[in-house]
Amino acid sequence: FEILKMLELKQGNESQAKLIRSYKKQIEAEIAEVCESIVQLLGNYLIPAAPTDEARVYFLKPKGDYHRYYAEADNEEQKEKALDAYTKATEYAANLKATNPIRLGLALNFSVFYFEILKMLDKGCQMARQAFEEAVNDPTSVDEEQHKEAALIMQLLRDNLSLWTEGPDGAAENDGTKLEELDA
């Protein structure tokens, strides 16, 4: 979708630009249809039936994700709905261990939403950094499978922070986050 946006801006030929705009509208409609059906399934059935905070986060996160995908077409209403779903999920996630992969996955996607969709760069970095640091400093242990998943998500958070805080010369600025070796 982003490639089509770039092609649309680059085209000098009006007939090609018209074709690209038409194709882009078709893709937007397909994205809207898929996202809306999934969001309805989550909102009408899965989230209300979720028995635990972990289950609620598990279903609210993709609700935010699908609103985010839809919002990439510059849809303000979908941005608000994504923010609402991610915010509710974050409230429930506060009851989970900082190293819980579902909580970390939420923090990863919510930080990307702030950074890339809302263009709130500092908020996206702050959220990713906080989730990373809380997980690194969490003294509780998790089982081996959750540890592997948590370590992978923590690395993605760290990678995003490195990318997002890269200076103009290509060198990463010191964002205050330390990457510690994680046993996999």
Side-chain angles (χ1 to χ4, degrees), residues 15-141:
S15 66
Q16 286 178 340
K18 198 174 196 179
L19 266 170
I20 291 170
R21 280 192 296 275
S22 172
Y23 187 55
K24 191 174 126 197
K25 284 191 183 291
Q26 180 182 349
I27 290 174
E28 285 174 352
E30 290 175 14
I31 289 171
E33 183 180 331
V34 169
C35 289
E36 194 55 43
S37 67
I38 292 171
V39 164
Q40 285 181 6
L41 173 68
L42 289 162
N44 294 337
Y45 301 102
L46 300 173
I47 295 168
T52 64
D53 286 345
E54 185 173 43
R56 286 181 196 98
V57 175
Y58 183 82
F59 291 122
L60 281 163
K61 180 190 149 302
K63 183 176 181 182
D65 293 342
Y66 280 96
H67 282 300
R68 176 171 53 102
Y69 304 147
Y70 195 2
E72 287 184 26
D74 295 324
N75 186 316
E76 290 301 318
E77 179 184 356
Q78 295 303 319
K79 289 178 186 178
E80 288 298 319
K81 289 179 178 181
L83 181 62
D84 182 56
Y86 282 138
T87 301
K88 284 179 184 170
T90 300
E91 291 168 9
Y92 290 115
N95 298 321
L96 306 177
K97 292 179 185 178
T99 54
N100 182 300
I102 294 170
R103 178 177 169 168
L104 287 168
L106 169 64
L108 175 68
N109 290 17
F110 200 3
S111 66
V112 168
F113 172 73
Y114 269 115
F115 194 90
E116 294 182 0
I117 304 300
L118 296 182
K119 307 295 186 209
M120 296 175 70
L121 311 184
D122 289 341
K123 179 72 173 174
C125 288
Q126 180 269 332
M127 182 174 283
R129 185 177 302 111
Q130 180 179 346
F132 181 87
E133 289 175 354
E134 286 176 0
V136 165
N137 295 319
D138 187 350
T140 61
S141 61

Side-chain angles (χ1 to χ4, degrees), residues 131-159:
F132 181 87
E133 289 175 354
E134 286 176 0
V136 165
N137 295 319
D138 187 350
T140 61
S141 61
V142 293
D143 65 44
E144 185 177 340
E145 185 62 33
Q146 280 196 333
H147 179 76
K148 288 179 183 178
E149 195 173 346
L152 175 66
I153 297 168
M154 289 172 67
Q155 184 60 50
L156 292 171
L157 285 164
R158 183 66 182 117
D159 290 347

